[in-house]
Amino acid sequence: MATTVRRTSITLPAAHLGEENPLPALRTPADPHQVHERDRAGLPADMARQIGYAPLRSLLPVRRLDGYDRHRTPTDLDAIVIENDRLRATVLPGLGGRVYSLVHKSTGRELLYRNPVLQPADFGLAGAWFSGGIEWNIGATGHTALCCAPVHAARVPAPDGGEMLRLWEWERLRDLPFQIDLWLPEDAEFLLVGVRIRNPHHRPAPVYWWSNTAVTESPDTRVIVPAEEAWHFGYERSLRRVPVPRWQGADRTYPVRGERPADYFYEVPDSARKWIAALDGEGHGLVQTSTDRLRGRKLFLWGNGPASQRWQRWLTEPGTDGYIEIQAGLARTQLEHLRMEPVSELSWLEAYGPLATDPDAAHGTDWTAARDAVARGLEAALPRSYVEEAYRAWLASADTEPREILAAGSGWGALEVLHGRFKLPGTPFDEATLGEEQRPWVELLHNGRLPTGSLDVPPGPTLVAAHWRELLETAPADALVEYHLGVAQWHAGDRAQAVRSWERSLKAAESCWVVRCLAVADAESGHPKRAAERYLRAFALAVESGQGDTVLGALAREAVPALLAAGRAEDAETMLGALSPEVRRRGRFRLLAAQVLLALGDVSGARGVFDAGFEVDDLAEGEETLSETWFAVAERLVAGSGPVTETVRSRARAQHPVPDAYAFQPE
């Protein structure tokens, strides 16, 4: 059959994604992947430099997506299928362009880990993320802020004259447009993927890219890669060079032999072909390869410890297969960001397909023989010269304009093109995609002012890039302009000026939005009592102005911990009581209720919250709040009215181990 690109839909049990958090993300995002400063001294110079280059200090202008739940219902999802007589790839344009499935038709094998449910969890840079398939990570260390967002999609002529699927969007954390072209040459057994990132600005920009491929983990799955060393990164947050395949008495290329979650970033020699494969006991599986620009290769594994298995179940249906990820990126590790020169672009070609090799060689004790067997099989199935030729052919068609729009992304790219007057052939950011969120900024661009608006309603996202901040600085000042200007200044690192802008906004009109920003500023500058007062005022203003559950819940989630830190548990209890029953039933607020009861001295009441059971829908990767609260309750139960000593802590942990329902942290 000729290669086709067609629209369809798939139905999955899916949790509701909910609304974006309306509060600007002012705090530096928690990053479980940071390397301790003391550990950088022993790293290669280029790696240490790139780890220290432009780490993400803010999620702005992106908003957090943390309103999802764990109640799954059958949901129809838009999909695009690319198919020839050998492979069928299913792509989800409404969810970051994720390749959800890749089926080898002659054998019926699913080459990817295809998650049977869509269950968001707090693993993404902007919150919601889900596991499975092939995801395209651009922006900064972590899962892209676009993983649950729509991207533009279109049908485009492929380099061989057939059809190709183009995905494109504007990545807002780094202010960079990108495109992903996927196609299946006729009779090909490999999905080809051309990727291009552009920097249209007259300034350098930090760039990050990792393609993450989830594959099913079985007891005999082995990950094979052309490397003899790797950089290991685990919960201790240090990078250490380790041998491949054996380290600490076990062959670490078999993921089931690891107990805890871990990253292995492989040292692939510069001259070697870039590839990584995951094969089962019969020597069958998936191989990913690319042109040399995509130099990094990585294995992520959950491990077989109780907490690791708990996370696996959390992300899918109990009783289903677990997964690992084989990944490819621009740098050696995901902890690094590269410098992208002004008015430049980066591009490369990737290929994904089935591989069958001699199982005795692939699973033998001779690591060199295993690598050679996979390398020979890959070269026979997809020669390196073919990939290079396909890359050159694709580059010649990368600017081809789309034939038919299949899905629409956001209007933010159109706004940036309008401001910068950029020419980006092949990726049309059409003005027709501009929507209500962009409308005030179009007004600012064209007329030098924001539309007059009241802060009694949510003010919408703030644009924080330097060129938008400069326009805000010259716009006629009112409460709304000063609010947005303060957010932009905060993002730029000028916190004192941000506070002054917010104080001017307050003089013009008091609002919950501005008072909350000042509360964050107080907390960040070491004034917990003042922060608590302002959070109380912000919440009261939100109630007075008739804000709904989304706003009140977002405020309370921040305010209750701030009130507890200031020793105001009674006020925290009152605030929780003012929320609707629906909000109070959510797991995050049940956890907050337990913390408030503990602070009030009602230890049995706090324990009762746990005994009744709850699930924190938005529990973050590496977050220890759940287990810390459990143990704090246990310590008070053991100590009674006495002090909590080290002996009490040890006894509490022995007598009250964390139940399986809350066991997300390794002991």
PDB file of all heavy atoms in Angstrom, residues 1 8 73 111 163 183 195 229 276-277 282 289 300 315 341 353 387 392 501 511 516 520 523 536 569 575 647:
ATOM      1  N   MET A   1       0.837  -1.194   0.000  1.00  0.00           N
ATOM      2  CA  MET A   1       0.000   0.000   0.000  1.00  0.00           C
ATOM      3  C   MET A   1       0.872   1.245   0.000  1.00  0.00           C
ATOM      4  O   MET A   1       1.980   1.260   0.540  1.00  0.00           O
ATOM      5  CB  MET A   1      -0.930   0.013   1.212  1.00  0.00           C
ATOM      6  CG  MET A   1      -0.226   0.080   2.558  1.00  0.00           C
ATOM      7  SD  MET A   1      -1.361   0.113   3.961  1.00  0.00           S
ATOM      8  CE  MET A   1      -2.080   1.749   3.804  1.00  0.00           C
ATOM      9  N   THR A   8      -8.167  10.177  12.529  1.00  0.00           N
ATOM     10  CA  THR A   8      -9.027   9.187  13.152  1.00  0.00           C
ATOM     11  C   THR A   8      -9.209   9.598  14.611  1.00  0.00           C
ATOM     12  O   THR A   8      -8.912  10.735  14.983  1.00  0.00           O
ATOM     13  CB  THR A   8      -8.426   7.766  13.022  1.00  0.00           C
ATOM     14  OG1 THR A   8      -9.357   6.812  13.537  1.00  0.00           O
ATOM     15  CG2 THR A   8      -7.112   7.646  13.773  1.00  0.00           C
ATOM     16  N   THR A  73     -12.761   8.062  32.589  1.00  0.00           N
ATOM     17  CA  THR A  73     -13.959   7.712  31.837  1.00  0.00           C
ATOM     18  C   THR A  73     -13.577   7.549  30.369  1.00  0.00           C
ATOM     19  O   THR A  73     -12.602   8.173  29.901  1.00  0.00           O
ATOM     20  CB  THR A  73     -15.040   8.800  31.966  1.00  0.00           C
ATOM     21  OG1 THR A  73     -14.500  10.055  31.506  1.00  0.00           O
ATOM     22  CG2 THR A  73     -15.507   8.943  33.401  1.00  0.00           C
ATOM     23  N   LEU A 111       5.575  -2.006  19.047  1.00  0.00           N
ATOM     24  CA  LEU A 111       6.990  -1.734  19.331  1.00  0.00           C
ATOM     25  C   LEU A 111       7.174  -0.811  20.528  1.00  0.00           C
ATOM     26  O   LEU A 111       8.274  -0.742  21.076  1.00  0.00           O
ATOM     27  CB  LEU A 111       7.661  -1.129  18.099  1.00  0.00           C
ATOM     28  CG  LEU A 111       7.643  -2.014  16.844  1.00  0.00           C
ATOM     29  CD1 LEU A 111       8.305  -1.280  15.676  1.00  0.00           C
ATOM     30  CD2 LEU A 111       8.333  -3.338  17.094  1.00  0.00           C
ATOM     31  N   GLU A 163       3.318  11.127   1.340  1.00  0.00           N
ATOM     32  CA  GLU A 163       2.745  12.043   2.316  1.00  0.00           C
ATOM     33  C   GLU A 163       3.524  12.011   3.619  1.00  0.00           C
ATOM     34  O   GLU A 163       4.055  10.974   4.009  1.00  0.00           O
ATOM     35  CB  GLU A 163       1.275  11.691   2.590  1.00  0.00           C
ATOM     36  CG  GLU A 163       0.354  11.957   1.419  1.00  0.00           C
ATOM     37  CD  GLU A 163      -1.103  11.803   1.814  1.00  0.00           C
ATOM     38  OE1 GLU A 163      -1.406  10.955   2.675  1.00  0.00           O
ATOM     39  OE2 GLU A 163      -1.948  12.541   1.275  1.00  0.00           O
ATOM     40  N   TRP A 183       7.369  10.474   8.600  1.00  0.00           N
ATOM     41  CA  TRP A 183       6.906   9.821   7.381  1.00  0.00           C
ATOM     42  C   TRP A 183       7.441   8.390   7.285  1.00  0.00           C
ATOM     43  O   TRP A 183       8.392   8.007   7.953  1.00  0.00           O
ATOM     44  CB  TRP A 183       7.254  10.635   6.143  1.00  0.00           C
ATOM     45  CG  TRP A 183       8.661  10.575   5.626  1.00  0.00           C
ATOM     46  CD1 TRP A 183       9.118   9.871   4.561  1.00  0.00           C
ATOM     47  CD2 TRP A 183       9.795  11.294   6.134  1.00  0.00           C
ATOM     48  NE1 TRP A 183      10.463  10.095   4.365  1.00  0.00           N
ATOM     49  CE2 TRP A 183      10.894  10.962   5.321  1.00  0.00           C
ATOM     50  CE3 TRP A 183       9.983  12.182   7.197  1.00  0.00           C
ATOM     51  CZ2 TRP A 183      12.168  11.481   5.538  1.00  0.00           C
ATOM     52  CZ3 TRP A 183      11.249  12.696   7.413  1.00  0.00           C
ATOM     53  CH2 TRP A 183      12.322  12.348   6.600  1.00  0.00           C
ATOM     54  N   VAL A 195      13.615  16.565  12.611  1.00  0.00           N
ATOM     55  CA  VAL A 195      13.358  17.563  13.649  1.00  0.00           C
ATOM     56  C   VAL A 195      14.173  18.818  13.350  1.00  0.00           C
ATOM     57  O   VAL A 195      15.364  18.734  13.002  1.00  0.00           O
ATOM     58  CB  VAL A 195      13.724  17.035  15.050  1.00  0.00           C
ATOM     59  CG1 VAL A 195      13.400  18.080  16.120  1.00  0.00           C
ATOM     60  CG2 VAL A 195      12.988  15.727  15.344  1.00  0.00           C
ATOM     61  N   GLU A 229      30.842   2.834  28.783  1.00  0.00           N
ATOM     62  CA  GLU A 229      30.707   3.607  30.016  1.00  0.00           C
ATOM     63  C   GLU A 229      29.406   4.393  29.976  1.00  0.00           C
ATOM     64  O   GLU A 229      28.837   4.633  28.901  1.00  0.00           O
ATOM     65  CB  GLU A 229      31.879   4.583  30.194  1.00  0.00           C
ATOM     66  CG  GLU A 229      33.211   3.929  30.481  1.00  0.00           C
ATOM     67  CD  GLU A 229      34.296   4.952  30.728  1.00  0.00           C
ATOM     68  OE1 GLU A 229      34.373   5.916  29.921  1.00  0.00           O
ATOM     69  OE2 GLU A 229      35.048   4.815  31.714  1.00  0.00           O
ATOM     70  N   ILE A 276      20.260   3.038  19.966  1.00  0.00           N
ATOM     71  CA  ILE A 276      19.955   2.359  21.211  1.00  0.00           C
ATOM     72  C   ILE A 276      18.810   1.397  20.932  1.00  0.00           C
ATOM     73  O   ILE A 276      17.901   1.706  20.158  1.00  0.00           O
ATOM     74  CB  ILE A 276      19.589   3.359  22.330  1.00  0.00           C
ATOM     75  CG1 ILE A 276      19.454   2.642  23.681  1.00  0.00           C
ATOM     76  CG2 ILE A 276      18.361   4.167  21.995  1.00  0.00           C
ATOM     77  CD1 ILE A 276      19.363   3.592  24.875  1.00  0.00           C
ATOM     78  N   ALA A 277      18.858   0.218  21.534  1.00  0.00           N
ATOM     79  CA  ALA A 277      17.858  -0.818  21.271  1.00  0.00           C
ATOM     80  C   ALA A 277      17.407  -1.443  22.578  1.00  0.00           C
ATOM     81  O   ALA A 277      18.180  -1.549  23.537  1.00  0.00           O
ATOM     82  CB  ALA A 277      18.423  -1.897  20.345  1.00  0.00           C
ATOM     83  N   GLU A 282      13.985 -13.152  23.034  1.00  0.00           N
ATOM     84  CA  GLU A 282      14.108 -13.771  21.717  1.00  0.00           C
ATOM     85  C   GLU A 282      14.904 -12.914  20.737  1.00  0.00           C
ATOM     86  O   GLU A 282      15.018 -13.251  19.562  1.00  0.00           O
ATOM     87  CB  GLU A 282      12.714 -14.042  21.150  1.00  0.00           C
ATOM     88  CG  GLU A 282      11.900 -15.030  22.000  1.00  0.00           C
ATOM     89  CD  GLU A 282      10.498 -15.218  21.456  1.00  0.00           C
ATOM     90  OE1 GLU A 282      10.105 -14.448  20.539  1.00  0.00           O
ATOM     91  OE2 GLU A 282       9.800 -16.122  21.929  1.00  0.00           O
ATOM     92  N   THR A 289      17.691   5.062  15.977  1.00  0.00           N
ATOM     93  CA  THR A 289      18.973   5.571  15.500  1.00  0.00           C
ATOM     94  C   THR A 289      18.762   6.977  14.953  1.00  0.00           C
ATOM     95  O   THR A 289      17.628   7.431  14.797  1.00  0.00           O
ATOM     96  CB  THR A 289      19.581   4.647  14.427  1.00  0.00           C
ATOM     97  OG1 THR A 289      20.921   5.081  14.116  1.00  0.00           O
ATOM     98  CG2 THR A 289      18.754   4.633  13.155  1.00  0.00           C
ATOM     99  N   PHE A 300      16.245   5.017  31.112  1.00  0.00           N
ATOM    100  CA  PHE A 300      15.589   5.306  32.386  1.00  0.00           C
ATOM    101  C   PHE A 300      14.859   4.057  32.833  1.00  0.00           C
ATOM    102  O   PHE A 300      14.123   3.442  32.051  1.00  0.00           O
ATOM    103  CB  PHE A 300      14.585   6.447  32.283  1.00  0.00           C
ATOM    104  CG  PHE A 300      13.680   6.526  33.499  1.00  0.00           C
ATOM    105  CD1 PHE A 300      14.160   7.046  34.686  1.00  0.00           C
ATOM    106  CD2 PHE A 300      12.388   6.022  33.459  1.00  0.00           C
ATOM    107  CE1 PHE A 300      13.351   7.079  35.823  1.00  0.00           C
ATOM    108  CE2 PHE A 300      11.571   6.058  34.581  1.00  0.00           C
ATOM    109  CZ  PHE A 300      12.055   6.585  35.766  1.00  0.00           C
ATOM    110  N   LEU A 315       0.752   5.201  37.332  1.00  0.00           N
ATOM    111  CA  LEU A 315       0.707   5.810  36.011  1.00  0.00           C
ATOM    112  C   LEU A 315      -0.138   5.031  35.014  1.00  0.00           C
ATOM    113  O   LEU A 315      -0.304   5.465  33.869  1.00  0.00           O
ATOM    114  CB  LEU A 315       2.127   5.961  35.453  1.00  0.00           C
ATOM    115  CG  LEU A 315       3.037   6.908  36.242  1.00  0.00           C
ATOM    116  CD1 LEU A 315       4.469   6.790  35.754  1.00  0.00           C
ATOM    117  CD2 LEU A 315       2.550   8.345  36.141  1.00  0.00           C
ATOM    118  N   GLU A 341      23.004  29.636  18.718  1.00  0.00           N
ATOM    119  CA  GLU A 341      23.424  30.953  18.245  1.00  0.00           C
ATOM    120  C   GLU A 341      22.236  31.743  17.693  1.00  0.00           C
ATOM    121  O   GLU A 341      21.216  31.174  17.301  1.00  0.00           O
ATOM    122  CB  GLU A 341      24.502  30.803  17.166  1.00  0.00           C
ATOM    123  CG  GLU A 341      25.796  30.180  17.676  1.00  0.00           C
ATOM    124  CD  GLU A 341      26.408  30.961  18.835  1.00  0.00           C
ATOM    125  OE1 GLU A 341      26.348  32.214  18.810  1.00  0.00           O
ATOM    126  OE2 GLU A 341      26.938  30.331  19.758  1.00  0.00           O
ATOM    127  N   GLY A 353      12.234   1.618  14.447  1.00  0.00           N
ATOM    128  CA  GLY A 353      11.715   0.445  13.774  1.00  0.00           C
ATOM    129  C   GLY A 353      12.042  -0.845  14.493  1.00  0.00           C
ATOM    130  O   GLY A 353      12.745  -0.856  15.518  1.00  0.00           O
ATOM    131  N   VAL A 387      20.317   6.614   6.221  1.00  0.00           N
ATOM    132  CA  VAL A 387      19.837   7.635   7.154  1.00  0.00           C
ATOM    133  C   VAL A 387      20.408   8.998   6.780  1.00  0.00           C
ATOM    134  O   VAL A 387      19.697  10.016   6.794  1.00  0.00           O
ATOM    135  CB  VAL A 387      20.202   7.255   8.597  1.00  0.00           C
ATOM    136  CG1 VAL A 387      19.848   8.379   9.568  1.00  0.00           C
ATOM    137  CG2 VAL A 387      19.497   5.968   9.006  1.00  0.00           C
ATOM    138  N   ARG A 392      19.429  14.408   4.255  1.00  0.00           N
ATOM    139  CA  ARG A 392      19.679  15.448   3.254  1.00  0.00           C
ATOM    140  C   ARG A 392      18.437  15.687   2.386  1.00  0.00           C
ATOM    141  O   ARG A 392      18.095  16.833   2.066  1.00  0.00           O
ATOM    142  CB  ARG A 392      20.878  15.064   2.394  1.00  0.00           C
ATOM    143  CG  ARG A 392      22.210  15.141   3.141  1.00  0.00           C
ATOM    144  CD  ARG A 392      23.389  15.005   2.182  1.00  0.00           C
ATOM    145  NE  ARG A 392      23.501  13.642   1.663  1.00  0.00           N
ATOM    146  CZ  ARG A 392      24.210  12.670   2.256  1.00  0.00           C
ATOM    147  NH1 ARG A 392      24.851  12.927   3.390  1.00  0.00           N
ATOM    148  NH2 ARG A 392      24.275  11.480   1.724  1.00  0.00           N
ATOM    149  N   SER A 501       6.065  47.444  41.525  1.00  0.00           N
ATOM    150  CA  SER A 501       4.982  47.471  40.530  1.00  0.00           C
ATOM    151  C   SER A 501       3.693  46.939  41.128  1.00  0.00           C
ATOM    152  O   SER A 501       2.608  47.506  40.920  1.00  0.00           O
ATOM    153  CB  SER A 501       5.377  46.649  39.297  1.00  0.00           C
ATOM    154  OG  SER A 501       6.470  47.237  38.622  1.00  0.00           O
ATOM    155  N   SER A 511      -6.672  43.731  44.653  1.00  0.00           N
ATOM    156  CA  SER A 511      -7.145  42.495  44.026  1.00  0.00           C
ATOM    157  C   SER A 511      -6.451  41.302  44.657  1.00  0.00           C
ATOM    158  O   SER A 511      -5.331  41.402  45.171  1.00  0.00           O
ATOM    159  CB  SER A 511      -6.873  42.501  42.521  1.00  0.00           C
ATOM    160  OG  SER A 511      -5.484  42.355  42.266  1.00  0.00           O
ATOM    161  N   ARG A 516      -1.767  38.192  46.360  1.00  0.00           N
ATOM    162  CA  ARG A 516      -1.109  36.872  46.363  1.00  0.00           C
ATOM    163  C   ARG A 516       0.329  36.971  45.869  1.00  0.00           C
ATOM    164  O   ARG A 516       1.235  36.323  46.416  1.00  0.00           O
ATOM    165  CB  ARG A 516      -1.916  35.913  45.493  1.00  0.00           C
ATOM    166  CG  ARG A 516      -1.264  34.548  45.323  1.00  0.00           C
ATOM    167  CD  ARG A 516      -0.476  34.458  44.024  1.00  0.00           C
ATOM    168  NE  ARG A 516       0.266  33.219  43.892  1.00  0.00           N
ATOM    169  CZ  ARG A 516       1.020  32.916  42.843  1.00  0.00           C
ATOM    170  NH1 ARG A 516       1.146  33.779  41.848  1.00  0.00           N
ATOM    171  NH2 ARG A 516       1.673  31.786  42.798  1.00  0.00           N
ATOM    172  N   VAL A 520       3.744  35.787  47.945  1.00  0.00           N
ATOM    173  CA  VAL A 520       4.854  34.952  47.479  1.00  0.00           C
ATOM    174  C   VAL A 520       6.174  35.683  47.677  1.00  0.00           C
ATOM    175  O   VAL A 520       7.165  35.101  48.142  1.00  0.00           O
ATOM    176  CB  VAL A 520       4.671  34.567  45.993  1.00  0.00           C
ATOM    177  CG1 VAL A 520       5.902  33.846  45.469  1.00  0.00           C
ATOM    178  CG2 VAL A 520       3.437  33.694  45.813  1.00  0.00           C
ATOM    179  N   ALA A 523       7.148  35.499  51.319  1.00  0.00           N
ATOM    180  CA  ALA A 523       7.613  34.168  51.695  1.00  0.00           C
ATOM    181  C   ALA A 523       9.017  33.908  51.158  1.00  0.00           C
ATOM    182  O   ALA A 523       9.876  33.364  51.863  1.00  0.00           O
ATOM    183  CB  ALA A 523       6.641  33.112  51.177  1.00  0.00           C
ATOM    184  N   LEU A 536      -4.067  35.486  53.657  1.00  0.00           N
ATOM    185  CA  LEU A 536      -5.418  35.591  54.208  1.00  0.00           C
ATOM    186  C   LEU A 536      -6.217  36.685  53.503  1.00  0.00           C
ATOM    187  O   LEU A 536      -7.405  36.510  53.182  1.00  0.00           O
ATOM    188  CB  LEU A 536      -5.355  35.875  55.714  1.00  0.00           C
ATOM    189  CG  LEU A 536      -4.936  34.704  56.608  1.00  0.00           C
ATOM    190  CD1 LEU A 536      -4.656  35.198  58.028  1.00  0.00           C
ATOM    191  CD2 LEU A 536      -6.015  33.631  56.622  1.00  0.00           C
ATOM    192  N   ALA A 569      -2.379  27.823  62.526  1.00  0.00           N
ATOM    193  CA  ALA A 569      -3.142  26.639  62.157  1.00  0.00           C
ATOM    194  C   ALA A 569      -4.645  26.899  62.193  1.00  0.00           C
ATOM    195  O   ALA A 569      -5.406  26.350  61.379  1.00  0.00           O
ATOM    196  CB  ALA A 569      -2.778  25.471  63.080  1.00  0.00           C
ATOM    197  N   MET A 575      -9.690  28.535  56.567  1.00  0.00           N
ATOM    198  CA  MET A 575      -9.597  28.657  55.113  1.00  0.00           C
ATOM    199  C   MET A 575     -10.044  27.368  54.432  1.00  0.00           C
ATOM    200  O   MET A 575     -10.808  27.402  53.455  1.00  0.00           O
ATOM    201  CB  MET A 575      -8.164  29.013  54.694  1.00  0.00           C
ATOM    202  CG  MET A 575      -8.014  29.236  53.191  1.00  0.00           C
ATOM    203  SD  MET A 575      -6.351  29.741  52.710  1.00  0.00           S
ATOM    204  CE  MET A 575      -6.297  31.403  53.399  1.00  0.00           C
ATOM    205  N   THR A 647      15.001   8.426  69.353  1.00  0.00           N
ATOM    206  CA  THR A 647      14.473   7.106  69.738  1.00  0.00           C
ATOM    207  C   THR A 647      13.002   6.996  69.361  1.00  0.00           C
ATOM    208  O   THR A 647      12.551   5.968  68.836  1.00  0.00           O
ATOM    209  CB  THR A 647      14.650   6.886  71.247  1.00  0.00           C
ATOM    210  OG1 THR A 647      16.033   6.963  71.574  1.00  0.00           O
ATOM    211  CG2 THR A 647      14.098   5.534  71.660  1.00  0.00           C
TER     212      THR A 647
END
